[in-house]
Amino acid sequence: MIKIIIADDHRLFLDGIAAILTQIENVSIAATANNGEQVIQLLQKHTCDVVVMDINMPVSDGLSTAQRISITYPKVKVVLVSMNVNPEYVKEALRANVSAYILKDSSKEELQKAIYSAAEGKKYFSEAVMLHLAYEYMPQTNQSEHRVKLTHRELDVLKLLAQEFTAPEIAQKLYISPDTVETHKKNMLKKLGLKNSYSLIKYAVQNGLI
């Protein structure tokens, strides 16, 4: 059983995430807090595997609290949940040895992935977070230089891929078959000299398609 401490200064979100966690197998809520300082105090009293907390909190914010946890309670993993995808926040989270960073509009499934990954000692950063971080470091290319290689339909597929739609969902939106979507993906990978779907998404970011 993964024991969780939740922290957020907004009661509505705190109650909401607690309700979601009750639906996830092998997870139990040890305690809740309204700020980072309370989290540190609770860790002295409760056995905890993962802390799920917001970044922007009074008294002690999520990033500084995560840093304190990594030093004082190195076995406790931290999952940050935020509305902010500022690359500086992400880099600070990495420096604080945070195990996961997801957005507040993430699905229950993504929250579950983040918690399970953290409990297993793995890192999990949502795709949207990683794309914003990648965008800061990737050089901007001449858009017209590469886009001419792709057809209008391939660009339609690429834009939807970058928005995290699955092949069946893209097929439904574009009124084509899932096999046709896969064919477009393969053609784009070949034309652009890329290896996988994630590379296609990075290409979309580089060229301002999302």
Side-chain angles (χ1 to χ4, degrees), residues 28-42:
S28 67
I29 301 171
T32 62
N34 298 122
N35 58 64
E37 191 60 42
Q38 288 182 9
V39 170
I40 299 300
Q41 294 172 5
L42 288 169

Side-chain angles (χ1 to χ4, degrees), residues 7 35-37 39-40 43 50-57 60-81 89-101 123 125:
N35 58 64
E37 191 60 42
V39 170
I40 299 300
L43 286 172
V50 179
V51 174
V52 178
M53 62 181 167
D54 189 14
I55 288 181
N56 297 308
M57 296 185 294
S60 179
D61 63 65
L63 290 169
S64 60
T65 302
Q67 184 66 50
R68 293 170 67 186
I69 291 172
S70 70
I71 296 171
T72 311
Y73 302 96
K75 291 184 179 181
V76 176
K77 308 303 181 182
V78 173
V79 173
L80 290 178
V81 186
Y89 277 23
V90 182
K91 288 186 285 186
E92 188 64 32
L94 290 169
R95 286 192 287 268
N97 200 31
V98 164
S99 293
Y101 190 127
K123 299 287 186 181
F125 285 67

Side-chain angles (χ1 to χ4, degrees), residues 169-189:
E169 290 170 336
I170 293 172
Q172 185 176 26
K173 286 180 176 292
L174 298 180
Y175 302 101
I176 56 179
S177 71
D179 286 342
T180 302
V181 173
E182 292 299 330
T183 298
H184 285 311
K185 285 172 60 178
K186 289 178 183 177
N187 288 340
M188 286 189 287
L189 289 170

Side-chain angles (χ1 to χ4, degrees), residues 57-145:
M57 296 185 294
V59 186
S60 179
D61 63 65
L63 290 169
S64 60
T65 302
Q67 184 66 50
R68 293 170 67 186
I69 291 172
S70 70
I71 296 171
T72 311
Y73 302 96
K75 291 184 179 181
V76 176
K77 308 303 181 182
V78 173
V79 173
L80 290 178
V81 186
S82 177
M83 288 300 295
N84 200 318
V85 289
N86 185 329
E88 288 302 320
Y89 277 23
V90 182
K91 288 186 285 186
E92 188 64 32
L94 290 169
R95 286 192 287 268
N97 200 31
V98 164
S99 293
Y101 190 127
I102 63 174
L103 303 182
K104 281 194 173 182
D105 59 358
S106 296
S107 64
K108 181 186 83 171
E109 289 72 24
E110 184 155 47
L111 175 61
Q112 178 175 307
K113 284 181 184 178
I115 290 173
Y116 283 0
S117 295
E120 293 170 5
K122 301 175 182 177
K123 299 287 186 181
Y124 184 91
F125 285 67
S126 71
E127 192 165 299
V129 171
M130 291 307 295
L131 281 172
H132 278 78
L133 185 61
Y135 184 74
E136 181 181 348
Y137 289 105
M138 287 189 296
Q140 298 301 304
T141 61
N142 185 327
Q143 296 179 15
S144 60
E145 178 183 347

